[in-house]
Amino acid sequence: MSTSSTQSRGINRRINSLQNGHLSREGSYSRKRVISPNDAYLYALRVAYLAYLLQPRARRIQHVSAPPAPVQRSSTSTSINDLMKDFSLLQNSKSTRFPHGFMAELDKRLKGVLMGGEKRQEYNDAAVKRTFAAFFNAFSEPNFKKRMEKDRRVEDLVLIFFSNATKELSKGKQVGDDAWKLMVDRHLALFVRLVSLVLKDHDWVRDRPELTSRLATLESKLLAHDQDLSAAPTRNGGAGGTTIEVEIPLSYDVKDMPLVQVVARIFGLRNTQVQSDVNKYKAVWTEKAALQDLKNYQMYLNLNSPKTLRSDDFDLDEAYEQWKKVEVQDLSQMMLAIMQSYPELAKSTTGGSRPQFHSQTSSIDKSEADALRRVSDNSEASSYVVEQPVDMSSLSRSQSPTQLTDDDKTFTYIPAETRGCYRFIVSQALSYDLSGQNLQSSESTNGSPAVKLLSKQSTELLNEICLRWRIPYVSRIVLFLDVIREKFIDQEITLDTLDAAFNYVKEPPQENRRNSNSLTSLFSDRTKWIMADTVLNQQILSALHEALLRDLYDSLQHCYEQKPPSFGPIMLVLEEHIQNDQGFSKTPDDLISFRNDLYRGLQEKSHEMYRGFLQKEVPNDQNSWEFFHVIELGKAVVSLAQKIQKRYRKNPEIMGVNPLTALVETILPLYAEDARDLVKRILELAQEKNEEVPVEDGFQLYGELVEIRRIHSECLPNVAFAFHIEGILADFVWRWIHMTESSITDWVDQAIKQDNFRVRTENNEIPNEDQRHSVSVIDIFSSFNQTIDRIVQLNWDDDLQYAKFMTSLAKVVGSGIARYCEVTEQKFSKEMDRLTPEQEAARNQSTQEKWLSLAKDAWNNKEKIEPFQFFPESLVKLNNIDFAASQLDKLEHEVNVDACAAVIQKNQPPVTQRQKKVNTYVFTIKIVEAEDLKACDIGGFSDPYVVLGDEYQKRLAKTRIIYRNLNPRWDETVDITTQGPLNIIATVWDWDAMGDHDCVGRASLKLDPSHFGDFLPREYWLDLDSQGRILLRVSMEGERDDIQFYFGKAFRTLKRTERDMTRKITDKLSAYINHCLSRRALRSLLSKGITMSSVSSYFNRNKPAQTVQPPSEAEVTNALKPLFAYFDDNFVIMNQTLTSTSMIAVMTRLWKEVLATIESLLVPPLSDKPSQQRQLNRQELDIVFKWLQYLFDFFHAVDEETGEANGVPIGVLKSPKYFDITTLNFFYFESTESLMRTSERMASATAARQQSQRNRLSAPASLASPAFGGAAGLVGLPSTRRSKSIMLSRNLGTMKKAKEEKWKDAQADPNDDMILRILRMRPEAERYLKDRSRQKERLAAAAAAETIVRQSLLAGGGRMMGNLPRR
């Protein structure tokens, strides 16, 4: 025989030919025909009847009186060695050894026998117990037990029992008496039975079938003839005699035929009818006919006849040869089993001799042959058992069968249509068993549940049929699956039954588990299959695949329902049993077609679900439509999508189709289009009815639509949403902002009205930093945050619109803060301007009493200054302003103002396309100082303050009061908003404690936006209509719709309010500061009083003049003690109420007042006119600088123990003003000529530095400052001072940075102002002061002109900037 490569035929060719009707087994036997139920029934019946004929004969015990004769031992027991040959020949086989743990269990069983605990009666005989006791003594020896545990051989155990039984039973017997030898065999048989019982009770029989079989054989040999394991006196009622076993004759009654009854049940026949058929055909259905069928089948097999499987039925010749060898062995064993049951049939064979056993294996692999044989013949279900190969050479293979015709009568028991007939019987058995109520479920395997398939009786019948009809194992499986396929398609069985059927055929039954590896190999190796099975298996898989896909399609059509059917079992069967089968073949196009159909079906189902939602949630009447309906429709859509997403989270795709994708691709676009139309229609109807949809409804709708759009973008990234949600619903946000804007003033007023402005503590405890502001500022910022959070929580998805929303809200917040500052400052001013008790008493005096009181105080040189009693509520208001600034800064960062501004800037049209018209302007007016005011008081001073008003006499601003000063400096700023030119009037008033305030003088100024096109600050010296002049610094900004502008404006409002309130506090202390740091206090310290000796020495001109001793350090320090005590008295209440930030702000402002007072002691104000102020001498200058140092240390407040500064930071103390004062010490006593030269040198250096800056910058700032009046003051030329624009004040960070740059510039750019102020006290420098004034005017005019030209050129075309209206 050639190799497989040369013998194998093309499987495709064979399968194709097989599908065309050739090379089938039916074709090998006969032509194919339809199987009738009667034919299938008769062939099944004859196989069941044959199983009855060939079953082992039942035996019964029969008593036989035997003539007395000398007892002779049976020939089977003459030699124990002969009895043990079956074990000794296989001593190396593990299958004939005892299992582990057997000795311990045998020990327990032996003890039960000896102690009378054994339930079986044969072990209760005294002689038996004596024999077992003798064996137990030997068995209990340690050496023997150790050897048995190691070897576990049967022969060792049996031989030791035989030896001990022989010794025990031979005791006391006479020579020649051999009766006891028979008892040895009987007791040994009892021991062998006990061993078998131990194996059976512990389920070792399944693992040791060969051992169990050989023990049974040994027991039967020991019990030959009449041994019935009973004592002789008990036999036959004590009459003696022997008993023998005899076979029970066959009754031929159906009731005694189990398989025949199974046939009757599955075909639905009564036993009487079946009995009639058996009686009719029993003469033909004989054992001899069965043997003849086997002979004929063997002959046809050798002849390669079509009546058996041929080589053409296999794809490989090797597979055929292997199957044939196994088939020959099985036939030999089956014929041997029949002849063993009926020995007379062996005599009829021509050879005349019986088959013999061969211990040698065949030429094929033994394990593989055993597997094939066991597959063909289940040991429990078959009617024959042969454990060794059989030599069938004695049977003549050349003997002709009884019938050699080609008709259907070739075989008695084998039908012509073997496969068709077997399939019909399987179908009948399966239908009957599945419908039966008492059917035992099949055993579960691999965790799969037990399912009813074939009963045990039906399985035995089918195995017997396959055995007699020689149907291969694979054919049985394939035909069984074909029946399952038919019943599943006809919906006679469920999906679970289908799954159980596949598991049933893939895994052997429990009794065949030891052959599972061989069976699995045989089932998986498709090269050993016959081609008919291969083709049928492909057809089964294809049909089941289509049926399962239909079921899967139908199941998934309900996947969007509340409780959809589970498709997991369908997928399990498809994947594990169909698609993973190597015989399954489907083209990818078929799967793609199914996916497309399934996807279209899911889309139609999605559309149907959406129509249901639409009908349920949206009324038919358009006039009743509301946003609520759109929201509910969206919620239903989202809920369904989320439910499907959660349902299929672990397995999102089914056969390549995602139910969620099919759903969202259908319903989301549908909802988006319907939502757009619904919203537009609702808004149109509301407009027609002149109604407004509630804002909250719009917000809720936006949130729902945004969520749906998010899901839409995640699931459909390449599909745009149907409409721009923000474009339709932006009006609701604007309406909400406008409502907020209209309510913001009321919110602030209500918050202030409900606030008592007290620290938030209980039981008079000292408050911490967070408790020093009241609830009103918390409430308003809580309102601001809620207002902004409402927009933020919308998650508005249009950046430009969102930035515009935040810009409008910034304007609303700014107006709220402005209102809060206005009302709070009014309350604060009212509290701070209240009259003291002395002032109230003086107010009620008559005019004559007032003049008498003033004259009395002047005569007594009395100047009483009492500490001002600050209300805690006033200080809390200052804390509130500081807290508001910090909260606004936090809000500015949370809103991300810069990002919003950048978005708006990015989306603005080009500059050429913008409208350059500005409608609103913000003028920032700083009231700096005044000079040479008219004295309105008796003492030659005034207490001036300034009121700004417009031409309609509307008050715009009011400064603080500067007491006892004709050259006051206010440095206060006010913002004025206008839409065109505005005339302002500045009126200087003298404050009087009694009577009306006196008018010091007036001046007017026209604020025209067209004059401030360069947006540079200007300074105006305005002459009063009476005497003196006032300095105003004016700058302008366009009122821009910009978020940074609005935040900057709010910050500047807060800071100015804080500064004004701080000044009002410090003004209450400044009078005493001026009193303690005045020239009068300085003269008092130096004069030490006038004595008689000093007067006499003045008239005694002959004596030398006495030198005046300077005051000591203690005297200088004591001069400031009243001031320090005054500070301490006022700081007590401040320290308990003000926050640390506000406290430092107050002390910083006080420090500035101290510096201004000390500066006024040293030099007069800057002017182009000589001053009447006298220059201090050296002692006076030293005292002033000592005072400055003492006050510096007092405000710095360094702890002596820790060295930590608790007061004003040193960076604040060492301000530019502080450095200017300290530099006076270097120039104060220089000669006039030296000072003028130094001034010229510094002026030249400043001019050169400014020129270099102009050359370096493309758009330089102003270059000179008109420090004097004259022409420069009249025209209001640009100033070099930094403009405090709103954009530089938009948060605390920019404000701090601007202040640092200001200080840096002041230190890096020294000027000669202090020198010029010294020169004012030098009469000889009058001409120089006028020259320097004209020089500065010329420089300022040139710088202004150059700046205007540069800006005009930058604007293009040499034209002036046209972004301001002209009149």
Side-chain angles (χ1 to χ4, degrees), residues 161 169 210 249 294 339 440 444 528 567 977 981 1053 1056 1076 1170 1318 1334:
F161 184 90
L169 293 175
E210 189 172 355
L294 294 176
M339 288 184 290
Q440 299 177 355
S444 61
K528 297 180 181 179
F567 60 87
T977 303
T1053 301
R1056 284 182 178 175
C1076 295
I1318 296 174
R1334 287 192 295 270

Side-chain angles (χ1 to χ4, degrees), residues 767-812:
N768 55 35
E769 287 289 319
D770 294 334
Q771 296 174 334
R772 299 196 175 199
H773 50 269
S774 61
V775 295
S776 61
V777 69
I778 298 177
D779 291 342
I780 65 168
F781 271 94
S782 177
S783 300
F784 294 160
N785 286 314
Q786 291 175 4
T787 301
I788 293 176
D789 288 343
R790 191 69 184 90
I791 303 299
V792 172
Q793 290 170 2
L794 290 176
N795 293 320
W796 203 261
D797 201 26
D798 189 305
D799 291 341
L800 180 59
Q801 287 184 348
Y802 177 80
K804 291 182 178 179
F805 294 157
M806 290 296 109
T807 300
S808 297
L809 287 178
K811 183 178 181 181
V812 173

Side-chain angles (χ1 to χ4, degrees), residues 944-956:
Y945 65 93
V946 180
V947 175
L948 288 183
D950 59 9
E951 52 192 326
Y952 305 105
Q953 297 183 357
K954 177 183 177 182
R955 177 183 287 192
L956 302 177

